Amino acid sequence: MQMQGYVTVAAAEAQGDDLIGELVRVGWMRIWETVHLSLGGDADRTAGFFACGMLGNTLAAMGLPPNAGR
């Protein structure tokens, strides 16, 4: 779902529609702030949390197990 959202934003913006992207970015920043505050305001920990999640999404999209490459 997350990756599909990014594709939808890219496709809409390629057609000159920036509204979808603006809404997705606002939502993303709300999620970032929620996690960031939960992790004590540590930017590196917050970025690491999201990086691990994105890696998991990418591996799943390719049909690989969550621990691939470890």
Side-chain angles (χ1 to χ4, degrees):
M1 181 74 175
Q2 181 182 9
M3 289 185 176
Q4 187 62 44
Y6 300 151
V7 170
T8 301
V9 169
E13 290 183 349
Q15 297 295 316
D17 180 355
D18 294 330
L19 180 59
I20 294 172
E22 290 174 23
L23 293 172
V24 170
R25 286 186 282 276
V26 167
W28 171 255
M29 291 310 300
R30 285 184 188 150
I31 294 168
W32 172 275
E33 280 300 314
T34 299
V35 173
H36 186 64
L37 294 175
S38 297
L39 294 175
D42 186 304
D44 288 337
R45 287 182 67 200
T46 304
F49 173 85
F50 283 107
C52 287
M54 182 54 77
L55 175 59
N57 287 338
T58 302
L59 293 173
M62 293 188 298
L64 294 170
N67 62 348
R70 287 188 183 183

